[in-house]
Amino acid sequence: MAVAIVAVGVVLLVAVVGLLVLDRRRRAATDQCADLETELERMRARAVASATHATALREALDAIPLGVIIGDRTGTVIYRNPAAALFLDARHGEALVEVAIRELIGDAIQGERTSRSLELFGPPRRVLEVQAVPLGDAGTGAGTGGLIVVEDVSDRRRLEAIRRDFVANISHELKTPVGALGLLAETLLGEDDPEVTHPLAERMVAEAFRVNRTIDDLLELSRIEAGEAPVRQPVLVQQVLDGAADRIRPAATLRSIEVVVEPGPLGLTVMGDRRQLVSAMFNLLDNAVKYSEPDHVVTLRSSAVCAEDGSAWAELAVVDQGMGIPARDLERVFERFYRVDRARSRGTGGTGLGLAIVRHVAGNHHGDVSVESQEGSGSTFRLRLPAALANEEAQAG
Amino acid sequence: MTTAADGEDMGMQPAMTDTDIRKSFHQQLDDIKHDIVRMAAIVTEAVPQGTAVLLDGDLHGAQELIEADDLLDTLALDTEERCYQLLALQQPMASDLRSIVTALRMVSEIERSGDLVVNIAKGARRIYGTTFPPRMRGLITQMGEESAKLFRIAIDAYVEHDDGKAAALPDLDDRLDALHKDYIQEIFETHGREELEIRAGVQLALIGRYYERIGDHAVNIGERVRYMVTGWLPEHTGAAREAARRQTDPPHIEPAD
Ligand SMILES: Nc1ncnc2c1ncn2[C@@H]1O[C@H](COP(=O)(O)OP(=O)(O)OP(=O)(O)O)[C@@H](O)[C@H]1O
Ligand SMILES: [Mg+2]
C-alpha cells in the first residue's frame, strides 16, 4: 500500500511541474495505480488460498486415527492431533509413552528415523508403536523438527498370533490321532492273539472317531463361516434355551452338575436359524459343564436389553461356577483350536472348535458373543442377538 | 511396560545450573511433579506385568522387571536431589513447601512400591514351574488389579489436587486387604488338599503380602496428597491426635530441621 501511495505522490509532483504534459502524465499515473492494485489483489487471494490450504491440512491431521505430534527444532511440541492428546501431559501407562515420544522427538531432530514398540499392561493391555521422522533436512543442519506417529498395533499383533497358531494347532490336532492310528495298526500287524488285537482295534476305532469329529467340526465351521445365509424365522429365545439345556442334561447329570434355566421375558424372540442357535447355546453349555466341578450349578438366563442407540437386543447368558479363564486368554478363546490348557482339554475330548462355532453363529445373526470370567469363580458367556420386532414376533410359535 | 529408556533427557537435569536457577520456581516444581507422575507410571505398569510374569511363569519377563527397577531408582535419586535443591535455594513457604515435602515423601513411597514389584518378580522366579489352582490364580489377578487401581487413584488425586479422591483410598484398600485374607486362606486350603508344596505356599504368601503393601503405599500417597492440598496431617488417628495435643500445649519453639 505504502508503495502505491509513494508512487502516486511522485507521479503527482511530476504532474504539477510538467503542466504542459499534464494530460498524458495523468493518464500514466492512473494506469500505474491500477497495476499496483491488481497486484495487491492477487497477493491477497494467494494468502487466503494458502490459509485455506493450512486449515485443510490441519483438519486432515486431526482426523487421522493415529497419534500425530510435531516438534520444532528445539524439541518443543508445536502440534498434536486429538488422538495424540492422550499421550501429552499424561499419567499412568500413557506417561511412559510420553517419555518415549519426547525422546524420539530428540532423535528426529538429530536426523534419525527411529521407532520403538511399547507394551502397555494397562488395563487395557496393548502394544503401541512410536515412530520418529525427521522434518526438513537435518543432515545439512536445515532440519525443522520432528514428526512422531503413535499407532496402536495390538490388533495386528493379535491377528499375526492367530494365523501362526492356527496352522500349528490344526496340524497338531490331526497329527496326533493319525499318528496313533499308524502305531496301533503297526502293532496290530504283528499280533494274532484276539486278547491283544481286540483292544487295539477298539482304540483304533476311538482314534478314527476323533479325527472324524475334528473334521466334522471343521466342516460345520466352514459352512457357517461361508455365511450361508441362515434360515430367518422367528425363534422364541426360551425355546432355544430349553432345547440346549435338554441336550446337555445327560452329560451334566453324569458329572453331578445341575443345569437351571431361569424363566426370561415372556415371548422374547429373535429372527434366525433355530438349529444353529440351539447348537451355539449347546456349545456354551458343553463348556460350562466341562469346565466346572461336581455340585456346581450352570444357569441359563435370557433378558431383553436396550442399546444406547435405542435398538433392542436379546441376551442369552450361560453362567457357570467353574475354573474360569485366565485374563490373558479371554480374548483368544473364540479362535479355532485355541485352548487355555491343552493337556486338560484333550483329556475332556474337545477339539477346540466349540467357541469358534458360537462366534460364527453370532456373526451370522448380526449379533456377538462375549465373555467375562474370573479364574476360580466362574465364567459368563453372553450371546447377544437383535431382538425381533413386534410384527415378526406375532408369527413366532 | 517394557522399554529400555535411558536415564538421560526428559527433564532430568543431573545438577543445578544457572539456567535452572533462573527457571522459575514453579517451573521447577512442575518438572518435579512430571517426574513423579512418570515414576508412578512405571509402577502402575509394573504391577500388572508382575502379575502376568507370576501367572505365566515368564522368566524373561521377571528379569526385565528386575532390571527396569534400576531406572526407577535413578529417577528417584535425581528427583529427590532436586527437591532438596529447591528447599535449600528457594526456602519456599506454605503451600509450596508442602508441595515439595509431599514430593519427597511420594518419591520414597513410589520407589519402595517398585521394590515390591521386584520382589514379586523374584518370588515368581523362585516358584517357577509350580501350577496353582484356578481360584488362587483368580485371587492373584484380583489383588494385582486392586493394587494397581489404588496406585492409579492415588496419582490421579495428586495430579488433580483432589483430596476427596485421596481420602477414599483407605476404604478401597479394605477391599485389597479382604482379598489378601481370602488368598492366604486359599493357600492353606490348597496346601491341605496337597495341591501345593509348602515351599511354594510360603513364597505365594509372601507375594500376596507384597501386593497388600503396594496398596498401603498408595494409601500413604493419598495421605500425602491430602496434606499437600489441605495441610491435613497424616496418620489421622495417632499423629493427628498427637499433633492436636501439641497444638494445645503451651507453645514451645521447635528448631527447624
Ligand atoms: N465355561 C468355561 N470355563 C472355563 N474355560 C472355558 C469355558 N469355555 C471355554 N473355555 C476355554 O476355552 C477353550 C476353547 O473352548 P472351545 O469350546 O472352543 O473348545 P473346547 O471346549 O476345548 O473343545 P470343543 O468345544 O471343540 O469340544 C477351552 O479349551 C477352555 O480352555
Ligand atoms: Mg467347547
Side-chain angles (χ1 to χ4, degrees):
Chain A
M1 208 57 188
V3 181
I5 291 166
V6 174
V8 173
V10 170
V11 168
L12 283 181
L13 198 65
V14 171
V16 169
V17 176
L19 279 167
L20 286 173
V21 282
L22 177 111
D23 195 44
R24 224 182 68 199
R25 294 275 170 139
R26 211 191 54 206
R27 217 176 297 133
T30 329
D31 284 354
Q32 210 168 341
C33 274
D35 281 354
L36 279 167
E37 252 158 39
T38 14
E39 179 60 18
L40 271 175
E41 195 46 53
R42 210 175 297 141
M43 276 166 68
R44 208 175 296 129
R46 217 177 299 149
V48 169
S50 87
T52 323
H53 195 59
T55 315
L57 270 180
R58 181 171 289 250
E59 280 170 1
L61 282 177
D62 281 353
I64 286 183
L66 304 169
V68 176
I69 295 145
I70 300 173
D72 68 9
R73 196 176 307 171
T74 65
T76 312
V77 171
I78 52 170
Y79 169 81
R80 56 130 189 94
N81 72 350
L86 197 63
F87 304 117
L88 294 178
D89 227 351
R91 329 172 188 167
H92 313 320
E94 283 78 13
L96 300 181
V97 181
E98 177 167 13
V99 172
I101 290 174
R102 301 220 183 249
E103 282 172 2
L104 286 179
I105 291 182
D107 289 353
I109 295 171
Q110 303 296 319
E112 282 174 54
R113 205 176 238 280
T114 43
S115 76
R116 198 179 291 178
S117 210
L118 302 178
E119 189 180 354
L120 291 184
F121 280 75
R125 199 170 168 163
R126 57 206 193 282
V127 185
L128 300 178
E129 206 153 273
V130 187
Q131 283 181 50
V133 184
L135 297 177
D137 193 351
T140 62
T144 52
L147 166 73
I148 301 292
V149 179
V150 186
E151 185 181 6
D152 188 330
V153 294
S154 321
D155 284 342
R156 204 191 306 156
R157 294 279 166 95
R158 201 150 38 230
L159 278 179
E160 281 163 13
I162 292 176
R163 214 169 300 138
R164 203 175 45 234
D165 293 355
F166 176 66
V167 179
N169 282 334
I170 191 167
S171 327
H172 187 89
E173 230 32 76
L174 293 174
K175 248 189 102 165
T176 316
V178 170
L181 274 174
L183 278 175
L184 289 167
E186 220 173 82
T187 326
L188 201 58
L189 277 177
E191 294 282 348
D192 329 300
D193 182 359
E195 289 282 303
V196 181
T197 55
H198 190 75
L200 282 177
E202 261 177 1
R203 283 195 49 201
M204 288 183 69
V205 173
E207 291 298 338
F209 273 146
R210 194 164 140 199
V211 188
N212 206 31
R213 205 167 48 225
T214 304
I215 293 173
D216 275 351
D217 281 352
L218 267 176
L219 285 177
E220 160 137 18
L221 185 59
S222 75
R223 208 168 28 241
I224 299 173
E225 263 178 10
E228 223 174 67
V231 191
R232 284 183 57 83
Q233 48 180 217
V235 183
L236 268 175
V237 167
Q238 201 65 34
Q239 281 180 3
V240 174
L241 299 190
D242 288 334
D246 289 345
R247 261 172 70 185
I248 198 67
R249 272 221 179 80
T253 315
L254 226 86
R255 300 207 57 215
S256 321
I257 289 169
E258 192 186 350
V259 178
V260 178
V261 184
E262 288 186 358
L266 223 61
L268 183 61
T269 306
V270 294
M271 294 300 292
D273 183 334
R274 171 152 170 203
R275 201 188 52 85
Q276 272 193 17
L277 290 174
V278 171
S279 141
M281 285 319 276
F282 173 78
N283 271 309
L284 292 180
L285 276 175
D286 180 50
N287 287 346
V289 167
K290 216 158 51 176
Y291 303 109
S292 290
E293 300 297 325
D295 295 331
H296 281 171
V297 180
V298 172
T299 312
L300 269 161
R301 200 174 277 156
S302 60
S303 54
V305 200
C306 191
E308 264 170 33
D309 64 357
S311 55
W313 295 79
E315 195 175 271
L316 291 68
V318 177
V319 186
D320 70 50
Q321 306 169 322
M323 61 193 291
I325 300 169
R328 76 189 152 115
D329 298 301
L330 272 181
E331 281 183 337
R332 301 205 56 189
V333 288
F334 294 101
E335 292 168 24
R336 294 174 234 165
F337 294 119
Y338 193 86
R339 271 110 158 247
V340 173
D341 179 352
R342 282 202 167 189
R344 188 194 152 109
S345 303
R346 183 142 311 114
T348 54
T351 53
L353 288 170
L355 288 178
I357 292 175
V358 176
R359 193 184 53 186
H360 283 286
V361 170
N364 271 355
H365 287 80
H366 310 291
D368 59 49
V369 58
S370 61
V371 57
E372 252 172 62
S373 185
Q374 187 67 255
E375 276 193 274
S377 322
S379 316
T380 298
F381 281 85
R382 292 195 176 83
L383 180 62
R384 283 204 335 159
L385 304 166
L389 301 173
N391 59 341
E392 290 168 326
E393 244 166 68
Q395 306 164 19
Chain B
M1 160 110 175
T2 51
T3 167
D6 47 350
E8 280 282 276
D9 211 77
M10 281 314 297
M12 261 189 64
Q13 296 92 346
M16 280 261 169
T17 63
D18 283 356
T19 33
D20 287 329
I21 293 171
R22 261 185 272 115
K23 237 186 192 178
S24 82
F25 170 78
H26 284 108
Q27 177 61 49
Q28 293 182 56
L29 206 54
D30 249 23
D31 288 350
I32 287 173
K33 195 167 155 181
H34 251 95
D35 286 346
I36 286 180
V37 170
R38 176 186 178 189
M39 286 172 57
I42 294 177
V43 174
T44 43
E45 276 292 313
V47 172
Q49 193 181 356
T51 308
V53 157
L54 175 63
L55 292 180
D56 305 348
D58 175 4
L59 288 179
H60 176 74
Q63 190 57 34
E64 230 174 56
L65 264 179
I66 294 167
E67 282 167 12
D69 192 52
D70 292 345
L71 169 65
L72 192 60
D73 289 347
T74 317
L75 277 170
L77 275 177
D78 175 79
T79 313
E80 218 171 75
E81 181 62 24
R82 279 169 28 232
C83 286
Y84 286 124
Q85 298 258 25
L86 266 191
L87 276 179
L89 297 176
Q90 310 269 350
Q91 310 194 333
M93 301 292 287
S95 83
D96 287 341
L97 178 63
R98 288 208 301 266
S99 292
I100 300 179
V101 172
T102 303
L104 271 172
R105 302 298 287 261
M106 283 183 66
V107 168
S108 85
E109 300 284 350
I110 294 171
E111 196 244 304
R112 276 150 69 194
S113 308
D115 291 343
L116 289 169
V117 181
V118 168
N119 288 347
I120 293 176
K122 286 183 176 162
R125 227 165 41 177
R126 280 191 204 106
I127 55 171
Y128 178 72
T130 311
T131 51
F132 10 93
R135 200 172 136 70
M136 196 179 260
R137 294 175 60 92
L139 285 166
I140 292 173
T141 308
Q142 290 179 67
M143 285 193 300
E145 282 168 4
E146 281 299 319
S147 52
K149 186 166 123 196
L150 282 169
F151 224 82
R152 273 198 301 272
I153 294 173
I155 295 308
D156 285 340
Y158 174 62
V159 174
E160 293 159 14
H161 278 244
D162 186 339
D163 59 313
K165 223 171 233 176
L169 281 165
D171 282 345
L172 293 171
D173 189 44
D174 288 347
R175 290 239 301 271
L176 180 57
D177 290 346
L179 274 173
H180 180 246
K181 276 208 195 76
D182 289 353
Y183 171 73
I184 296 295
Q185 184 64 29
E186 187 62 26
I187 291 180
F188 280 123
E189 282 173 18
T190 315
H191 176 65
R193 290 196 307 267
E194 303 193 348
E195 285 172 27
L196 192 69
E197 267 182 65
I198 186 78
R199 215 175 47 86
V202 171
Q203 282 301 330
L204 284 169
L206 282 174
I207 287 172
R209 181 87 181 98
Y210 300 144
Y211 281 115
E212 199 221 313
R213 279 172 51 200
I214 292 173
D216 291 345
H217 285 305
V219 172
N220 289 348
I221 291 176
E223 286 178 346
R224 297 300 149 193
V225 171
R226 292 181 71 185
Y227 166 71
M228 175 181 75
V229 178
T230 65
W232 176 88
L233 279 170
E235 283 91 40
H236 39 299
T237 43
R241 234 182 290 124
E242 170 71 12
R245 231 177 286 130
R246 226 181 295 158
Q247 265 172 6
T248 50
D249 276 352
H252 68 276
I253 314 298
E254 271 184 291
D257 53 358

